[in-house]
DNA sequence: GCCAACGTTGGC
DNA sequence: GCCAACGTTGGC
């Protein structure tokens, strides 16, 4: 299943992802998003990489699930901003996967365009108030985005 | 910086 | 287990 993952480019952008072999998706502290990574993502699944809190916000490229799920190490680190005092090594709360870079779109596809595209109006990221940092994407929507980006599916 | 949306926390 | 208060997300 294709996915959409959000990241603030000031914190971690698609260019940052392109510079590393793979990136552990640390810091997700929402149960629904965690469950997607923990229970549903498969190695090789593709994900639209969305820049949030950006000017403009939009989809910047494609990433790929590059690992099986494992406990987010930052939950055990008292010095991390993502530290969770209720999590233990024996009983972790937060799981993540690694992502690797697949492609950066020639141009970012702005949210504004996604919203006005008749085939994408129902895509979750277009809906107001969607704050989930990880959402499943319908295959037809995924393919439409690639087409808008001018990238081969 | 504003504010709508909405998840989480904690008192009861 | 309800629900008000609070915190965060994220577009604008």
């Amino acid at each position: 299943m294709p996915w959409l993952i959000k990241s603030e480019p000031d914190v971690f952008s698609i260019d940052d992802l392109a510079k590393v072999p793979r990136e552990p998706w640390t810091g997700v502290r929402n149960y629904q998003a965690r469950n997607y990574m923990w229970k549903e993502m498969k190695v090789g699944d593709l994900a639209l990489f969305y820049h949030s809190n950006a000017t403009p916000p939009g989809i910047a490229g494609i990433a790929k699930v590059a690992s099986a799920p494992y406990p987010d190490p930052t939950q055990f680190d008292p010095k991390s901003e993502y530290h969770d005092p209720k999590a233990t090594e024996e009983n972790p709360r937060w799981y993540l996967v690694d992502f690797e870079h697949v492609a950066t779109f020639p141009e970012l596809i702005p949210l504004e365009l996604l919203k006005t595209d008749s085939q994408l109006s129902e895509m979750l990221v277009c809906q107001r108030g969607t704050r989930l940092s990880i959402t499943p994407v319908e295959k037809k929507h995924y393919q439409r985005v690639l087409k808008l980006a001018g990238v081969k599916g």
Side-chain angles (χ1 to χ4, degrees):
Chain A
M1 180 186 334
W3 303 90
L4 182 142
I5 58 176
K6 293 183 188 173
S7 184
E8 299 189 26
D10 291 347
V11 179
F12 192 83
S13 72
I14 187 110
D15 292 337
D16 295 323
L17 185 63
K19 286 177 197 149
V20 294
R22 68 192 63 80
E23 179 70 12
W25 212 244
T26 56
V28 171
R29 294 295 178 266
N30 170 285
Y31 289 104
Q32 203 175 340
R34 176 203 66 177
N35 288 345
Y36 285 140
M37 288 198 286
W38 190 12
K39 310 283 193 185
E40 298 197 38
M41 282 189 182
K42 305 291 175 218
V43 172
D45 277 2
L46 296 165
L48 301 171
F49 194 105
Y50 180 87
H51 281 176
S52 62
N53 264 326
T55 46
I59 298 172
I62 306 169
K64 182 165 78 176
V65 176
S67 79
Y70 60 97
D72 180 341
T74 64
Q75 69 189 307
F76 309 126
D77 179 0
K79 293 191 290 287
S80 168
E81 59 175 314
Y82 301 125
H83 178 237
D84 184 343
K86 291 178 183 161
T88 63
E89 307 256 1
E90 299 74 34
N91 198 5
R93 260 196 187 189
W94 305 108
Y95 284 77
L96 53 69
V97 298
D98 294 350
F99 284 100
E100 69 177 62
H101 182 267
V102 172
T104 300
F105 292 159
E107 290 180 48
L108 177 128
I109 307 176
L111 176 62
E112 191 181 17
L113 177 60
L114 302 175
K115 281 180 170 173
T116 55
D117 189 274
S118 60
Q119 296 179 46
L120 291 176
S121 57
E122 286 173 24
M123 193 162 71
L124 267 178
V125 77
C126 298
Q127 318 269 330
R128 132 184 252 236
T130 300
R131 300 189 314 169
L132 254 192
S133 60
I134 297 176
T135 56
V137 173
E138 286 183 46
K139 198 159 199 175
K140 62 180 180 186
H141 291 157
Y142 179 84
Q143 280 162 353
R144 176 64 179 160
V145 169
L146 293 203
K147 189 160 189 182
L148 290 176
V151 172
K152 267 193 172 179

